[in-house]
Amino acid sequence: MANSKYEYVKSFETLDKLLPNVWIVVRVDGRSFHKFTQKHEYQKPNDERGIQLMNRCAFEVCQEFTDIVIAFGESDEYSFVLGRSCNLFERRESKISSSIVSYFTSQFVYRWREYFNDYPLRYPPTFDSRAVCYPSNENLRDYLSWRQADTHINNLYNTCFWTLVLKGNKTPAEAEAALCGTLAEQKNEILFTQFQINYNNLPQMYRKGSVIYRKLVEESYLDQKSNQQKSKFKKRLVIEHIDIISDKFWKENPSLLNDK
Amino acid sequence: MANSKYEYVKSFETLDKLLPNVWIVVRVDGRSFHKFTQKHEYQKPNDERGIQLMNRCAFEVCQEFTDIVIAFGESDEYSFVLGRSCNLFERRESKISSSIVSYFTSQFVYRWREYFNDYPLRYPPTFDSRAVCYPSNENLRDYLSWRQADTHINNLYNTCFWTLVLKGNKTPAEAEAALCGTLAEQKNEILFTQFQINYNNLPQMYRKGSVIYRKLVEESYLDQKSNQQKSKFKKRLVIEHIDIISDKFWKENPSLLNDK
Amino acid sequence: MANSKYEYVKSFETLDKLLPNVWIVVRVDGRSFHKFTQKHEYQKPNDERGIQLMNRCAFEVCQEFTDIVIAFGESDEYSFVLGRSCNLFERRESKISSSIVSYFTSQFVYRWREYFNDYPLRYPPTFDSRAVCYPSNENLRDYLSWRQADTHINNLYNTCFWTLVLKGNKTPAEAEAALCGTLAEQKNEILFTQFQINYNNLPQMYRKGSVIYRKLVEESYLDQKSNQQKSKFKKRLVIEHIDIISDKFWKENPSLLNDK
Amino acid sequence: MANSKYEYVKSFETLDKLLPNVWIVVRVDGRSFHKFTQKHEYQKPNDERGIQLMNRCAFEVCQEFTDIVIAFGESDEYSFVLGRSCNLFERRESKISSSIVSYFTSQFVYRWREYFNDYPLRYPPTFDSRAVCYPSNENLRDYLSWRQADTHINNLYNTCFWTLVLKGNKTPAEAEAALCGTLAEQKNEILFTQFQINYNNLPQMYRKGSVIYRKLVEESYLDQKSNQQKSKFKKRLVIEHIDIISDKFWKENPSLLNDK
């Protein structure tokens, strides 16, 4: 059974190399997660276990694919940023994008019990992914700002909505009507006046999303030669819930955008 | 925090619609499965549990994505064929390819215990995926023939190799040397003469791989009106280990290539 | 001056191979030809010299690029069809598309005087081009039918419009208003009743557009051995103004769709 | 004759938008220009008329497509650089690339007589084109340096080769053999010692190629109000034969890379 006469079908494969010297963002998104969170009784507006699990999966992805410079997650999505000079899988789009979404999903199912304990995973979830290229550092920062601003907008809305429903005894339709057309300020006001909730005091993880990156941290160690305590700087993968829209974060971590 | 000034970043996304009216093959491949099967002590040359798990995952993928017309699997890979007229995710390549690989992976981890029982999944596996277009029915059949011929070639080799190692007390290097340059006929001869193994009597699942498709089957039912046993034809998703290179299979299942 | 340190820039080029085994249509379109035809005082609704020049350019393109199976032209556009098995420039899209549009343009300027005599070419025209893939014979025929039906619709409209303006003493705005919402039948009626023009008697070149293809024709020759008149079949590139929507043309020229 | 049932074929067209915020280089190349220059008896190693015609065509292209920031030409090729923020044809690759190559070709044929006088254009030439994206200013400069370094290398070789043939009475094969493996220095030496030619005194147009860009120039004018001679800065499209590899050019023309 010779294979040679069929091998021509390989020539139908396309070479999908991404442009060199641009940032690559792979965004992983939960498919039908509205249904998934309902079936698994996620707490509203935010389920800490669910978010921690997402963060853990993303953390493991960043451990595995060391070309990832920074990742940002909120709700059921995570964006992974690969550096301009990254040559993972020779920058083949489908390889990069599919490997990341597969490993993320794999981790999600594998670690479900670590975060949900006895609560069973009723069915295996699906994520999709896509790769997008951003040429300049400004474009990349704007992309990340876009996602973090989105986190803020969604979370403020969801917090109001679910507070009105769960504590204000409104129906979903009533809550939706009450929020229709309101500005951020007004939503803050509703939370504060009606429910004594200061939105800015809620956990940053919900308000800012999660940032995973390799941080330069000082670590002390025992120098065996001199038998003295010394320190050196090392890159450590960390998860933080901080503002990445303003310049502060980027000034404190200049190496991120230098792509080294 | 207005989002509008960042939204321009969406314009960097590309529209990756696949050409209409061509067959779409999404091939899912295990990443570093050589290591994975070693770490999980897969039996050689074929681990029945491992193959059954792969088949189950693919079966579930076919259940979930009903645009899949036929799927073929061997070893750590599975090819899913979507019809010419399929409009899943508006034929967006990344959506289709990533959703399938994610759900496949999700099933793999989710159902591990069903097939490996107490044998623990030591770490979560990764698969990658890619989509390839095939214009004509002939091209598609040649693609599937290519994979099935590959199954035969690999399995015959692996069967010989592992028999020489496990039963013939050869080292891997010796087994490799013994097989170097041998034709199929000679490999069959080695198995038969030295080990009394008739290769053609080995399970078809190993020799032919696995085919999943929607088969027209006759099913009997009790007609409540007449209280009589009647029968009707229904499409049922089945897994078979049969030859799909020759015409027989395609003549018996003419609707597959008609894409309806 | 070493070049090697700059050569990495070649890696930014993308490989734009078109899918094998599909029809490739390269459509060449005049850019700003409304202005071009005005500046060069083209006769309305059809300028025979202008169309003959377009046809000649297309004919030369078909002579030069022998992979072209059939071409269809109307107004300021021409579609060139390359066969499924065509391997011109290894099916690189930009090479194919740019070479055809460049040669077409080159011919247009080069042969202007042959068709417009002393009427000067006031400025060099521009055409653009794009390649589109069509998988099945039916898709290709539908593409060509689309262009020929478009020819009919446009030409009937233009014939009415310009007859109303040139012979009916209407202003362009009045002519447009008179035709607004009319069906084909009504346009025929206007031409016939008001101007005694039977649309179907107008030259086929205007009504059907132009088809260029390699036709199997019988040619007689003197056989030198026997000194007798004999005949043989040869493929000759011809221009015809005939219906290619109905089956007749394709039945008479079965080799076109067989792509050999 | 309804067109609607065929219009689905439009959906087979792909959207080929180039990534935003990257430099776009469209390179136009003569097809089979070795033969073309022979048939038209171009002088060797450089035909001034031929190069001036190429430059004129490129100049007209830059006049017509004002998004072009800079262009560089040598031999039978020209590279046109469109700015990062350019939105010509909504950045559709095929539109941009085909329009430029078509207009370039059109100019070539149209203006042939201006440069070759009575020497007839024996047949219409063809150029091809392709678009390549460069993300950073450094990448773009490296691209242009690559082309200019190539100009130097080719021209030095060709000058030596043709001097050996035309003045040194060598056959082409002998000239080739004499130059095989020689370094730049040695080629300079051959020209100087054997033929008293100082390569660096040859016209810059041959040694450096041609650069077309919008230069900020001071122009004097009569101010009608004050009746005094005044001056102001204007951007003028110029052709120069200067070094664009070193920083000098870019420092003197900082606006080029600022893409405004």
Side-chain angles (χ1 to χ4, degrees):
Chain A
M1 202 182 317
N3 214 350
S4 51
K5 70 170 168 168
Y6 304 125
E7 272 173 0
Y8 80 90
V9 297
K10 282 190 73 170
S11 68
F12 288 66
E13 297 178 3
T14 53
L15 193 62
D16 58 349
K17 286 199 185 193
L18 294 166
L19 188 66
N21 200 23
V22 295
W23 297 100
I24 303 169
V25 174
V26 175
R27 186 168 66 244
V28 167
D29 252 297
R31 185 172 167 247
S32 308
F33 254 58
H34 185 71
K35 180 190 149 205
F36 183 86
T37 55
Q38 278 189 327
K39 292 276 182 192
H40 292 86
E41 300 172 275
Y42 272 46
Q43 287 159 31
K44 294 297 183 179
N46 291 295
D47 187 291
E48 197 188 336
R49 302 162 304 174
I51 295 177
Q52 298 282 22
L53 174 55
M54 287 289 288
N55 287 346
R56 176 61 179 277
C57 296
F59 191 88
E60 296 292 339
V61 167
C62 293
Q63 290 272 36
E64 178 73 16
F65 298 99
T66 53
D67 289 283
I68 295 170
V69 172
I70 186 170
F72 177 79
E74 61 154 325
S75 182
D76 65 345
E77 73 166 54
Y78 239 100
S79 298
F80 299 94
V81 180
L82 294 102
R84 292 165 172 284
S85 61
C86 151
N87 201 30
L88 178 65
F89 303 131
E90 293 170 298
R91 293 178 86 85
R92 276 182 291 156
E93 181 174 0
S94 56
K95 268 281 210 189
I96 293 171
S97 176
S98 64
S99 299
I100 287 179
V101 77
S102 172
Y103 192 57
F104 188 94
T105 310
S106 204
Q107 288 283 352
F108 193 97
V109 180
Y110 186 72
R111 299 193 185 278
W112 173 268
R113 290 196 58 189
E114 288 178 42
Y115 294 86
F116 282 84
N117 302 309
D118 290 341
Y119 194 97
L121 179 59
R122 299 191 189 285
Y123 63 87
T126 312
F127 294 85
D128 63 42
S129 64
R130 65 179 311 160
V132 189
C133 293
Y134 290 104
S136 72
N137 292 354
E138 189 188 358
N139 294 149
L140 177 66
R141 280 194 53 187
D142 285 346
Y143 173 82
L144 292 167
S145 295
W146 177 51
R147 299 324 301 144
Q148 191 165 59
D150 190 72
T151 307
H152 169 77
I153 290 163
N154 289 340
N155 191 62
L156 178 55
Y157 182 91
N158 290 337
T159 302
C160 281
F161 178 87
W162 286 104
T163 305
L164 287 167
V165 169
L166 299 175
K167 300 192 180 161
N169 291 320
K170 292 208 186 289
T171 65
E174 287 166 352
E176 204 182 321
L179 293 174
C180 181
T182 55
L183 301 175
E185 207 181 328
Q186 296 167 299
K187 294 195 189 76
N188 278 314
E189 189 68 17
I190 289 170
L191 287 173
F192 192 69
T193 314
Q194 299 182 27
F195 304 98
Q196 291 74 53
I197 292 171
N198 185 337
Y199 180 74
N200 289 322
N201 291 343
L202 296 182
Q204 292 239 90
M205 186 168 77
Y206 303 151
R207 292 185 291 115
K208 298 289 181 196
S210 300
V211 185
I212 302 176
Y213 66 104
R214 286 170 224 283
K215 190 178 193 168
L216 209 59
V217 292
E218 197 171 0
E219 295 188 346
S220 60
Y221 67 100
L222 185 71
D223 182 63
Q224 299 198 313
K225 235 178 179 173
S226 65
N227 204 25
Q228 288 191 325
Q229 201 71 14
K230 293 195 171 179
S231 75
K232 60 180 170 187
F233 283 88
K234 277 214 161 183
K235 290 221 164 162
R236 288 281 174 231
L237 201 59
V238 297
I239 304 189
E240 296 178 350
H241 314 290
I242 52 176
D243 179 77
I244 56 171
I245 295 179
S246 56
D247 292 337
K248 187 168 175 287
F249 172 78
W250 301 99
K251 283 184 181 158
E252 287 173 5
N253 298 282
S255 68
L256 292 177
L257 293 179
N258 286 340
D259 184 19
K260 287 295 154 221
Chain B
M1 202 183 317
N3 214 349
S4 51
K5 70 169 169 170
Y6 303 126
E7 272 173 359
Y8 80 91
V9 298
K10 283 189 72 170
S11 69
F12 288 66
E13 296 177 3
T14 52
L15 193 62
D16 59 347
K17 287 198 183 193
L18 295 166
L19 189 67
N21 200 25
V22 295
W23 296 100
I24 302 168
V25 174
V26 175
R27 184 168 68 243
V28 167
D29 252 296
R31 184 172 167 249
S32 307
F33 254 57
H34 186 72
K35 180 190 148 204
F36 183 86
T37 55
Q38 278 190 325
K39 292 278 181 191
H40 292 86
E41 299 171 275
Y42 272 46
Q43 286 159 31
K44 294 296 182 180
N46 292 294
D47 187 292
E48 196 187 338
R49 303 159 305 170
I51 295 178
Q52 298 283 21
L53 173 55
M54 288 289 288
N55 288 346
R56 177 61 180 276
C57 296
F59 190 89
E60 296 293 336
V61 166
C62 293
Q63 289 272 35
E64 178 71 16
F65 299 99
T66 54
D67 289 282
I68 295 169
V69 172
I70 186 170
F72 177 79
E74 62 155 323
S75 182
D76 63 346
E77 72 165 56
Y78 239 101
S79 299
F80 299 94
V81 180
L82 295 102
R84 292 166 171 284
S85 62
C86 152
N87 201 31
L88 178 64
F89 303 131
E90 293 169 298
R91 294 178 86 84
R92 275 183 291 158
E93 180 173 2
S94 56
K95 269 280 212 192
I96 292 172
S97 176
S98 64
S99 298
I100 286 178
V101 77
S102 172
Y103 193 56
F104 188 94
T105 310
S106 205
Q107 289 283 352
F108 193 97
V109 181
Y110 187 73
R111 298 192 187 278
W112 174 267
R113 291 195 58 188
E114 289 179 42
Y115 294 85
F116 282 83
N117 302 310
D118 290 339
Y119 195 97
L121 179 59
R122 300 191 190 283
Y123 63 88
T126 311
F127 294 85
D128 63 42
S129 63
R130 65 178 312 159
V132 190
C133 293
Y134 290 103
S136 72
N137 292 354
E138 188 189 0
N139 294 149
L140 177 66
R141 280 194 52 187
D142 285 347
Y143 173 82
L144 292 167
S145 296
W146 178 50
R147 300 323 302 144
Q148 193 165 56
D150 189 71
T151 306
H152 169 76
I153 291 164
N154 289 339
N155 191 63
L156 177 55
Y157 182 90
N158 290 338
T159 301
C160 281
F161 179 87
W162 286 105
T163 305
L164 287 167
V165 169
L166 298 175
K167 299 191 182 164
N169 291 320
K170 290 208 186 289
T171 65
E174 288 167 350
E176 206 181 319
L179 294 173
C180 181
T182 55
L183 302 174
E185 207 180 328
Q186 296 167 298
K187 294 196 189 74
N188 279 315
E189 189 67 15
I190 290 171
L191 287 173
F192 193 69
T193 313
Q194 300 182 26
F195 304 99
Q196 291 74 53
I197 294 170
N198 185 338
Y199 180 74
N200 290 323
N201 291 344
L202 297 183
Q204 292 240 93
M205 185 168 76
Y206 303 151
R207 292 185 292 114
K208 298 289 181 196
S210 301
V211 185
I212 303 177
Y213 65 105
R214 287 171 222 283
K215 188 178 193 167
L216 208 60
V217 291
E218 196 172 2
E219 294 189 347
S220 60
Y221 66 100
L222 184 72
D223 182 63
Q224 299 198 313
K225 234 177 178 174
S226 65
N227 205 24
Q228 286 191 327
Q229 201 71 12
K230 293 194 170 179
S231 75
K232 60 181 170 186
F233 282 89
K234 279 214 159 183
K235 290 220 165 165
R236 290 281 174 233
L237 201 59
V238 297
I239 304 189
E240 295 178 351
H241 314 290
I242 52 177
D243 179 79
I244 57 171
I245 295 179
S246 57
D247 293 337
K248 184 169 176 289
F249 172 77
W250 302 99
K251 283 185 181 155
E252 287 173 4
N253 298 282
S255 68
L256 291 179
L257 293 180
N258 287 340
D259 184 20
K260 287 295 156 220
Chain C
M1 203 181 319
N3 214 350
S4 51
K5 69 168 169 170
Y6 304 126
E7 270 172 1
Y8 81 91
V9 299
K10 283 190 72 171
S11 69
F12 288 67
E13 298 178 2
T14 52
L15 194 61
D16 59 347
K17 286 199 184 193
L18 295 165
L19 188 67
N21 201 23
V22 296
W23 297 99
I24 302 168
V25 174
V26 175
R27 185 166 67 243
V28 168
D29 252 296
R31 183 172 168 247
S32 308
F33 254 57
H34 186 72
K35 179 189 149 204
F36 183 85
T37 55
Q38 278 190 325
K39 292 277 181 189
H40 292 86
E41 299 172 275
Y42 271 47
Q43 286 159 31
K44 293 297 183 178
N46 292 294
D47 187 292
E48 196 187 336
R49 301 161 305 172
I51 295 178
Q52 298 282 22
L53 173 55
M54 288 289 288
N55 287 347
R56 176 61 180 277
C57 296
F59 190 88
E60 296 292 337
V61 166
C62 293
Q63 290 271 36
E64 179 71 18
F65 299 101
T66 53
D67 289 282
I68 295 170
V69 172
I70 185 170
F72 177 79
E74 61 155 325
S75 183
D76 64 344
E77 73 166 56
Y78 238 99
S79 298
F80 299 93
V81 180
L82 295 102
R84 292 165 171 284
S85 62
C86 153
N87 201 30
L88 179 64
F89 303 131
E90 292 169 298
R91 293 178 86 86
R92 276 182 291 157
E93 180 174 2
S94 55
K95 268 282 211 189
I96 293 172
S97 177
S98 64
S99 298
I100 286 178
V101 77
S102 172
Y103 193 56
F104 188 94
T105 311
S106 205
Q107 288 283 351
F108 193 97
V109 180
Y110 186 74
R111 299 192 187 277
W112 173 269
R113 290 196 60 189
E114 288 179 42
Y115 294 86
F116 282 83
N117 302 309
D118 290 340
Y119 194 97
L121 179 58
R122 299 190 189 285
Y123 64 86
T126 312
F127 294 85
D128 63 41
S129 64
R130 66 178 311 160
V132 190
C133 293
Y134 290 102
S136 72
N137 292 355
E138 189 189 358
N139 294 149
L140 177 66
R141 279 194 54 187
D142 285 346
Y143 173 82
L144 292 168
S145 295
W146 178 52
R147 299 325 300 145
Q148 191 166 60
D150 189 71
T151 306
H152 169 75
I153 291 163
N154 288 338
N155 191 62
L156 177 55
Y157 182 90
N158 290 337
T159 301
C160 282
F161 178 87
W162 286 105
T163 304
L164 287 168
V165 169
L166 298 175
K167 299 190 181 163
N169 290 319
K170 292 208 187 287
T171 65
E174 288 168 351
E176 205 182 319
L179 294 174
C180 182
T182 55
L183 301 175
E185 205 181 330
Q186 296 166 298
K187 294 196 189 75
N188 279 315
E189 188 68 15
I190 289 171
L191 287 174
F192 193 69
T193 314
Q194 298 181 25
F195 304 98
Q196 290 75 55
I197 294 171
N198 185 336
Y199 180 74
N200 290 322
N201 291 344
L202 296 183
Q204 292 240 92
M205 185 168 77
Y206 303 151
R207 291 185 293 115
K208 297 290 181 196
S210 300
V211 186
I212 303 177
Y213 66 104
R214 287 170 223 283
K215 189 177 194 169
L216 208 60
V217 292
E218 196 171 2
E219 295 187 347
S220 59
Y221 66 101
L222 183 72
D223 182 63
Q224 299 199 313
K225 233 175 178 176
S226 65
N227 205 25
Q228 287 190 328
Q229 202 71 11
K230 292 196 171 178
S231 76
K232 60 181 170 187
F233 283 88
K234 278 215 160 181
K235 289 221 166 163
R236 289 281 173 229
L237 201 59
V238 297
I239 304 189
E240 295 178 351
H241 315 289
I242 50 176
D243 179 78
I244 56 171
I245 296 179
S246 56
D247 292 338
K248 186 168 175 289
F249 172 78
W250 302 98
K251 283 185 181 156
E252 287 173 4
N253 297 282
S255 67
L256 292 178
L257 294 179
N258 287 340
D259 184 21
K260 288 295 155 219
Chain D
M1 202 184 315
N3 214 350
S4 51
K5 70 170 169 169
Y6 303 126
E7 271 172 0
Y8 80 91
V9 297
K10 283 189 72 170
S11 69
F12 288 65
E13 296 178 3
T14 52
L15 194 61
D16 58 348
K17 287 200 185 193
L18 295 166
L19 188 65
N21 200 24
V22 295
W23 298 99
I24 302 168
V25 173
V26 175
R27 186 168 66 243
V28 167
D29 252 297
R31 184 173 167 247
S32 307
F33 254 56
H34 186 72
K35 179 190 151 205
F36 183 85
T37 55
Q38 278 190 325
K39 292 277 180 190
H40 292 85
E41 299 171 274
Y42 272 46
Q43 286 158 31
K44 293 297 180 180
N46 291 293
D47 187 293
E48 196 188 337
R49 302 160 306 172
I51 295 178
Q52 298 282 21
L53 173 55
M54 288 290 288
N55 287 346
R56 175 61 180 275
C57 296
F59 191 88
E60 297 292 337
V61 166
C62 292
Q63 290 272 34
E64 178 72 16
F65 299 100
T66 54
D67 289 282
I68 294 169
V69 171
I70 186 170
F72 177 78
E74 61 154 325
S75 182
D76 63 344
E77 73 166 55
Y78 240 101
S79 298
F80 299 94
V81 179
L82 294 102
R84 291 166 171 283
S85 62
C86 153
N87 201 31
L88 178 65
F89 303 130
E90 293 169 299
R91 293 179 85 85
R92 275 182 290 157
E93 182 174 1
S94 56
K95 269 280 211 190
I96 293 172
S97 177
S98 64
S99 298
I100 286 178
V101 77
S102 171
Y103 192 57
F104 188 94
T105 311
S106 205
Q107 288 284 351
F108 193 98
V109 181
Y110 186 73
R111 298 194 186 277
W112 174 267
R113 291 196 57 190
E114 289 179 42
Y115 294 86
F116 282 83
N117 302 308
D118 290 340
Y119 195 97
L121 179 59
R122 300 190 190 285
Y123 63 87
T126 312
F127 294 85
D128 63 43
S129 64
R130 67 179 309 159
V132 189
C133 293
Y134 290 103
S136 71
N137 292 355
E138 190 189 357
N139 295 149
L140 177 64
R141 279 194 53 188
D142 285 346
Y143 173 81
L144 292 168
S145 296
W146 178 49
R147 299 324 302 142
Q148 191 166 57
D150 190 71
T151 306
H152 170 75
I153 291 162
N154 289 339
N155 191 63
L156 177 55
Y157 182 90
N158 290 337
T159 301
C160 282
F161 178 87
W162 286 104
T163 303
L164 287 167
V165 169
L166 299 175
K167 299 190 181 162
N169 291 318
K170 290 208 186 290
T171 64
E174 288 167 350
E176 207 182 319
L179 294 173
C180 181
T182 54
L183 301 174
E185 206 180 330
Q186 296 166 299
K187 293 195 188 78
N188 279 314
E189 189 68 15
I190 289 171
L191 287 173
F192 193 69
T193 313
Q194 300 181 25
F195 305 99
Q196 290 74 53
I197 294 171
N198 185 338
Y199 180 73
N200 288 324
N201 291 343
L202 297 183
Q204 292 239 91
M205 185 168 78
Y206 303 151
R207 292 184 293 116
K208 297 292 181 193
S210 301
V211 185
I212 302 177
Y213 66 105
R214 287 170 223 283
K215 188 178 195 168
L216 208 60
V217 292
E218 195 171 1
E219 294 188 346
S220 60
Y221 67 100
L222 183 72
D223 183 62
Q224 299 198 311
K225 233 177 179 176
S226 65
N227 204 26
Q228 286 190 327
Q229 201 70 14
K230 292 193 171 182
S231 76
K232 59 181 172 187
F233 283 88
K234 279 212 158 184
K235 290 220 165 162
R236 290 281 172 231
L237 201 59
V238 296
I239 304 188
E240 295 177 350
H241 314 290
I242 51 177
D243 179 78
I244 56 172
I245 295 179
S246 57
D247 292 338
K248 185 167 176 289
F249 173 77
W250 303 98
K251 282 185 181 156
E252 286 173 4
N253 299 281
S255 68
L256 291 178
L257 293 179
N258 286 340
D259 186 19
K260 287 293 156 224

